[in-house]
């Protein structure tokens, strides 16, 4: 009887701890989303509706600093594309020390934020055996370079990838992301989500590209994407991509083609999806609709799974 009571007590404590963690995560998601929303409103008010590249007058605010070209990049590490290509282990771990401070360059570079779910979270590792996600990232960027969408010079592109840019040997690696997510997304010019899906024909064999493009987020049936599309943290990164102040005039000289068209039309940083299906069919990346308005109502990060 005593053993049974102890087990029930332990079970109750475990449930209580799980609920506490869930409440903490929900509070953090809500707080970060509120911050991003406030910054977006601030930028919109400062722009006065004058369109792409409108300078903000309040240089003392985050939005003002971004519009004035004074980006908040101190203390953030990035991974040069050239270093990523030389990696022998796929996506490099932070301990390989291939990253550099984002403020160490003497020229404005094109910055890509890689938003993804880890394929081996228990190991933990972001990729699978054979480095398929790593290959998708490289092929996507190479394709955009060939099309003139992003700089053709590898030295003008850097990436932010959590596994490489956050100290994985720290007591709580996620804490750095929690503290700096707004600044990290805010300094980036594009969000890239690589989706490994070797079984894509099981859901896409009957679909033409234009059918998927009508609703990429809802129609792209890869399991990895559908998991991403319902997770609170992934949705929060999408929310940040759409709402954290974005200053197009800083990146216009570096982009062209469909990326330039997206920035000009949407007045937001592009978020592209590049999966195994796209790669094997030699298609261009899919552009995701910014998580705003009706799409935000449909996929509010606060209602996502933890």
């Amino acid at each position: 009887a005593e053993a049974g009571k102890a087990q029930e007590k332990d079970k109750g404590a475990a449930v209580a701890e799980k609920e506490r963690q869930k409440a903490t995560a929900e509070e953090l998601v809500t707080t970060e989303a509120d911050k991003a929303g406030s910054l977006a409103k601030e930028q919109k008010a400062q722009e006065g509706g004058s369109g792409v590249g409108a300078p903000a007058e309040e240089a003392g605010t985050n939005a003002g600093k971004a519009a004035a070209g004074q980006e908040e990049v101190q203390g953030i590490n990035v991974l040069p594309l050239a270093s990523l290509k030389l990696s022998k282990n796929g996506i490099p771990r932070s301990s390989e020390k291939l990253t550099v401070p984002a403020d160490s360059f003497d020229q404005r570079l094109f910055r890509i934020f890689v938003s993804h779910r880890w394929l081996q979270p228990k190991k933990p590792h972001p990729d699978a055996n054979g480095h398929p996600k790593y290959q998708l990232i490289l092929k996507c960027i190479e394709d955009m370079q060939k099309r003139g969408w992003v700089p053709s010079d590898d030295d003008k592109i850097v990436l932010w990838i959590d596994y490489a840019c956050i100290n994985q040997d720290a007591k709580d690696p996620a804490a750095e992301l929690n503290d700096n997510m707004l600044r990290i997304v805010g300094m980036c010019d594009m969000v890239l989500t690589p989706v490994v899906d070797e079984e894509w024909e099981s859901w896409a064999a009957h679909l033409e590209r234009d059918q998927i493009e009508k609703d990429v987020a809802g129609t792209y049936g890869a399991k990895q994407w559908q998991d991403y599309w319902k997770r609170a943290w992934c949705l929060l990164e999408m929310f940040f991509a759409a709402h954290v102040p974005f200053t197009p005039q800083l990146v216009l000289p570096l982009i062209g083609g469909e990326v330039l068209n997206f920035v000009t039309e949407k007045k937001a940083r592009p978020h592209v999806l590049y999966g195994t299906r796209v790669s094997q069919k030699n298609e261009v990346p899919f552009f995701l609709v910014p998580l705003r308005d009706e799409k935000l109502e449909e996929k509010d990060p606060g209602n996502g799974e933890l």
Side-chain angles (χ1 to χ4, degrees):
E2 290 299 325
K5 290 181 180 179
Q7 288 180 348
E8 287 298 320
K9 183 177 181 180
D10 290 343
K11 181 184 289 187
V15 171
E17 175 61 17
K18 186 174 182 179
E19 289 298 319
R20 185 194 67 78
Q21 292 177 354
K22 180 179 179 181
T24 300
E26 289 176 341
E27 181 181 0
L28 184 56
V29 168
T30 301
T31 299
E32 293 299 313
D34 287 344
K35 288 180 184 177
S38 297
L39 285 174
K41 291 178 181 178
E42 177 183 308
Q43 184 188 44
K44 185 174 181 180
Q46 290 170 345
E47 288 177 350
S50 55
V52 173
E57 295 180 0
E58 294 295 331
T61 66
N62 286 338
K65 289 179 181 179
Q70 301 171 16
E71 298 176 285
E72 295 285 336
V73 300
Q74 294 81 10
I76 299 174
N77 290 329
V78 292
L79 177 64
L81 176 58
S83 298
L84 180 62
K85 285 186 172 183
L86 292 175
S87 174
K88 298 179 180 179
N89 302 310
I91 299 174
R93 193 176 188 274
S94 60
S95 55
E96 296 180 50
K97 301 188 182 302
L98 295 181
T99 60
V100 295
D103 59 358
S104 63
F105 300 93
D106 58 5
Q107 60 178 322
R108 182 58 164 81
L109 305 180
F110 188 77
R111 305 171 185 144
I112 300 174
F113 180 95
V114 177
S115 176
H116 62 131
R117 293 203 65 219
W118 286 25
L119 298 184
Q120 300 184 78
K122 293 182 179 180
K123 192 173 182 177
H125 197 280
D127 210 344
N129 295 334
H131 316 309
K133 182 183 290 186
Y134 169 76
Q135 297 296 339
L136 285 176
I137 293 171
L138 292 184
K139 188 172 181 181
C140 178
I141 296 174
E142 180 181 0
D143 184 71
M144 292 192 292
Q145 287 178 308
K146 289 179 178 178
R147 297 175 185 277
W149 293 8
V150 300
S152 59
D153 185 350
D154 288 353
D155 290 335
K156 291 186 178 180
I157 297 179
V158 294
L159 300 92
W160 190 91
I161 306 176
D162 48 9
Y163 191 62
C165 299
I166 292 179
N167 181 7
Q168 298 300 310
D169 294 316
K171 183 177 181 180
D172 184 7
E176 181 179 339
L177 180 58
N178 296 343
D179 293 340
N180 294 306
M181 187 185 288
L182 278 170
R183 293 200 302 131
I184 294 169
V185 177
M187 76 169 190
C188 289
D189 309 306
M190 171 184 282
V191 177
L192 164 60
T193 297
V195 179
V196 176
D197 179 32
E198 298 296 341
E199 300 178 355
W200 63 268
E201 290 185 346
S202 66
W203 62 268
H206 65 290
L207 293 174
E208 298 296 332
R209 182 180 174 89
D210 60 349
Q211 294 176 286
I212 298 176
E213 285 182 319
K214 292 178 181 178
D215 178 20
V216 178
T219 307
Y220 205 88
K223 182 181 183 302
Q224 282 296 321
W225 170 254
Q226 291 303 318
D227 286 346
Y228 177 101
W229 184 226
K230 64 186 180 183
R231 296 290 179 177
W233 283 110
C234 298
L235 292 172
L236 188 60
E237 290 176 359
M238 291 186 71
F239 179 89
F240 285 170
H243 292 273
V244 174
F246 175 64
T247 312
Q249 70 263 32
L250 296 179
V251 73
L252 290 179
L254 300 172
I255 60 178
E258 292 304 309
V259 172
L260 177 59
N261 292 340
F262 185 97
V263 169
T264 303
E265 178 184 348
K266 304 294 185 182
K267 298 178 177 62
R269 59 179 58 77
H271 185 169
V272 298
L273 184 160
Y274 193 83
T276 305
R277 176 201 174 278
V278 180
S279 174
Q280 292 187 0
K281 292 178 73 69
N282 292 314
E283 294 182 349
V284 297
F286 284 105
F287 286 81
L288 295 165
V289 175
L291 201 60
R292 297 172 174 168
D293 306 319
E294 295 86 0
K295 188 61 71 173
L296 179 58
E297 291 181 11
E298 175 189 349
K299 286 292 182 177
D300 187 329
N303 298 327
E305 295 181 7
L306 299 172

